[in-house]
Amino acid sequence: MTNLQSKIVERKHLLTFILITSLFALWGFANDITNPMVAAFQTIMELSAAKASLVQFAFYGGYATMAIPAALFAKRYSYKKGILLGLILYAIGAFMFIPAANQQQFGFFCVSLYILTFGLAFLETTANPYILSLGSKNTSTRRLNLAQAFNPIGSLLGMFIASRIVLAKLESDTAEVREIGFSNLDEVTKLAIREHDLDIIRNPYVALGCVVLLVFIIIAIFVKNEKQDTANNVKTNNKETLKRLFSNKIYRAGVLTQFFYVAAQIMTWTFIIQYADRLGIDKATAQIYNIIAMAMFLCGRFISTFLMKYVNSRRLLTFFAIGAMIATTGTIVIDGIAGLYCLMTISIFMSLMFPTIYGIALEDVSLEDSNLGAAFLVMAIVGGSLMPPLQGMIIDLGMVGNLPAVNFSFILPLICFFVIFVYGYRTNKLRVKS
């Protein structure tokens, strides 16, 4: 009854909620303008699928590196200061695309993304628990789902720009070059195309850096250190915090489950272009399928936030995991456009997973432990860096038995969704018992 009567966001927190929620769209943009760059770099820099996937290794590796320092910084100072530092690092990484394009070095681009995600680690480590703290604990998971619903809005914008402003303008992906094969062109032509295409990739990141600086100014002026924020200044023993966190079975399993969820999400969205490419679909058109998948993801997130008013989040997570496993199985075994449709459908079922796993894991974590608790959940995003290269290695095989390797490679997301199903089922069972 209390859960139905409590407001998701109280009026006194509304401005802070709106401004912090805007950050969810900002990191969604970075995530999903970057995903299709794996396929772009694969062609432009003449890389294998596995090596091109190092884009994701660098991007999500930044989370693993900086999540704990970000949590300790926010704990010592405040959520607001953690967010402001994150925005500065975000902008620096984006502006590093200028020298990276000039040098035409794949490694330089990876370093730029690595620095950029230092900033994203600060934003996610601070913004998620900040949103949870802005109101009643009874509505915290619903509140985080509502805030996270704006993440795919930024993702859709990132995908649209990737499709219309980047991929559609790549000379390496024109019909003529695709027919000949980029690697078969003479060196002078390849050099000219590479210079043009890397500049095309650079430009939206530079524009993004400017937007991030503008958001920095707005947050600095309008977001105040609220009561919940200053609670971070309570001195606590980090060793005792870690002991409490990892003696919490639901939290501990939540960190592991988040690792597998993020891995599944990144693999699903990164390799949709390679899946479509095998069907003869060019990169720009394939990205449109990705945009539709993200629109489905966005709808699923609003629907699931509404459903949580009537169905507990753990049971809903279990049902959505089952749906994801069914859609992923279709992606693997169905050859042709129907398989691509199954791949797109996975996004509906992924929609509630990240914030729901996050919220469930932190439900019984105290406020003074929430910063480090959030940090390990953000570190779990490293799943998005470790598993895509493995999927890329499978894709490079060409065929696995009677299945195209790109189809078979989705066995990895299938395993991930099974882990999520087990977490939802077990935590729901524990809730019923209690």
Side-chain angles (χ1 to χ4, degrees):
M1 202 57 189
T2 305
N3 200 30
L4 294 177
Q5 292 176 349
S6 300
K7 288 185 177 180
I8 299 179
V9 184
E10 297 174 24
R11 180 173 293 182
K12 64 181 179 179
H13 299 310
L14 188 58
L15 178 61
T16 298
F17 178 83
I18 291 170
L19 292 176
I20 300 305
T21 295
S22 70
L23 300 174
F24 288 72
L26 203 57
W27 74 64
F29 182 95
N31 289 341
D32 289 283
I33 196 173
T34 301
N35 288 338
M37 296 308 154
V38 174
F41 279 121
Q42 185 177 348
T43 300
I44 298 166
M45 308 303 289
E46 300 180 88
L47 307 172
S48 66
K51 189 168 183 180
S53 297
L54 291 176
V55 165
Q56 301 293 39
F57 183 80
F59 191 93
Y60 293 96
Y63 283 101
T65 304
M66 198 52 64
I68 296 297
L72 295 174
F73 181 91
K75 183 178 178 181
R76 180 169 181 179
Y77 297 102
S78 69
Y79 286 138
K80 179 179 176 179
K81 290 179 180 177
I83 287 168
L84 292 177
L85 179 55
L87 290 169
I88 289 293
L89 291 168
Y90 190 162
I92 290 171
F95 289 132
M96 284 178 65
F97 267 65
I98 297 173
N102 291 339
Q103 294 295 319
Q104 297 187 15
Q105 294 292 323
F106 177 65
F108 204 149
F109 282 103
C110 289
V111 170
S112 303
L113 289 169
Y114 186 58
I115 300 299
L116 186 152
T117 50
F118 283 179
L120 299 190
F122 267 86
L123 296 184
E124 294 210 39
T125 301
T126 51
N128 282 296
Y130 202 175
I131 291 294
L132 288 174
S133 73
L134 293 175
S136 169
K137 197 162 188 176
N138 291 324
T139 56
S140 60
T141 299
R142 286 179 63 204
R143 185 163 51 254
L144 185 58
N145 266 275
L146 178 60
Q148 285 275 0
F150 291 87
N151 173 266
I153 293 175
S155 296
L156 278 169
L157 181 58
M159 287 180 163
F160 178 80
I161 289 177
S163 175
R164 299 292 92 195
I165 296 179
V166 180
L167 299 180
K169 295 183 179 180
L170 295 180
E171 292 184 356
S172 59
D173 199 44
T174 61
E176 295 83 359
V177 173
R178 283 170 62 87
E179 184 177 350
I180 299 169
F182 182 76
S183 60
N184 296 324
L185 297 173
D186 64 85
E187 289 301 319
V188 174
T189 304
K190 282 198 289 188
L191 183 62
I193 291 176
R194 184 175 293 121
E195 182 176 355
H196 171 272
D197 287 1
L198 291 179
D199 285 348
I200 292 294
I201 290 173
R202 173 202 64 198
N203 293 338
Y205 284 93
V206 175
L208 177 60
C210 295
V211 171
V212 169
L213 290 180
L214 177 61
V215 173
F216 173 91
I217 294 169
I218 294 171
I219 296 288
I221 294 172
F222 293 104
V223 171
K224 296 179 180 179
N225 288 326
E226 300 203 2
K227 184 178 179 181
Q228 289 88 348
D229 197 13
T230 58
N232 286 304
N233 293 321
V234 175
K235 292 183 182 288
T236 56
N237 186 302
N238 290 331
K239 288 184 179 179
E240 290 299 316
T241 294
L242 290 174
K243 186 177 179 180
R244 285 192 295 270
L245 286 174
F246 288 97
S247 64
N248 183 328
K249 291 181 180 179
I250 291 178
Y251 172 78
R252 193 171 63 234
V255 172
L256 180 64
T257 304
Q258 200 71 287
F259 173 95
F260 282 101
Y261 166 69
V262 176
Q265 175 189 293
I266 302 309
M267 288 187 287
T268 298
W269 289 341
T270 297
F271 293 107
I272 194 170
I273 293 180
Q274 281 85 346
Y275 195 98
D277 182 66
R278 198 190 63 78
L279 302 176
I281 301 171
D282 64 83
K283 291 183 181 66
T285 304
Q287 183 63 3
I288 293 174
Y289 286 100
N290 222 348
I291 290 172
I292 295 170
M294 180 56 68
M296 295 162 73
F297 181 88
L298 175 59
C299 292
R301 185 157 278 178
F302 280 110
I303 291 168
S304 61
T305 301
F306 172 77
L307 289 175
M308 281 182 187
K309 193 173 182 180
Y310 306 101
V311 183
N312 83 68
S313 57
R314 303 173 189 211
R315 182 175 298 171
L316 208 56
L317 178 65
T318 306
F319 291 152
F320 273 51
I322 292 170
M325 286 191 289
I326 293 170
T328 308
T329 301
T331 302
I332 296 169
V333 302
I334 300 173
D335 192 15
I337 195 69
L340 181 58
Y341 293 155
C342 287
L343 178 52
M344 295 163 61
T345 303
I346 296 171
S347 292
I348 296 174
F349 300 109
M350 290 196 301
S351 60
L352 67 62
M353 291 182 178
F354 183 92
T356 302
I357 295 166
Y358 194 104
I360 292 170
L362 290 178
E363 271 182 10
D364 296 323
V365 173
S366 63
L367 180 62
E368 61 267 28
D369 294 342
S370 62
N371 279 112
L372 276 177
F376 284 105
L377 285 163
V378 171
M379 276 188 72
I381 291 174
V382 74
S385 80
L386 298 179
M387 293 191 76
L390 181 58
Q391 188 176 11
M393 291 171 65
I394 295 173
I395 292 172
D396 286 333
L397 296 175
M399 293 290 294
V400 177
N402 294 323
L403 282 174
V406 68
N407 288 50
F408 181 80
S409 71
F410 282 90
I411 192 73
L412 296 179
L414 180 61
I415 294 169
C416 295
F417 291 128
F418 178 73
V419 172
I420 296 164
F421 162 76
V422 171
Y423 183 69
Y425 178 79
R426 287 184 174 176
T427 54
N428 184 57
K429 198 172 179 181
L430 288 171
R431 183 180 186 273
V432 171
K433 284 182 179 180
S434 62

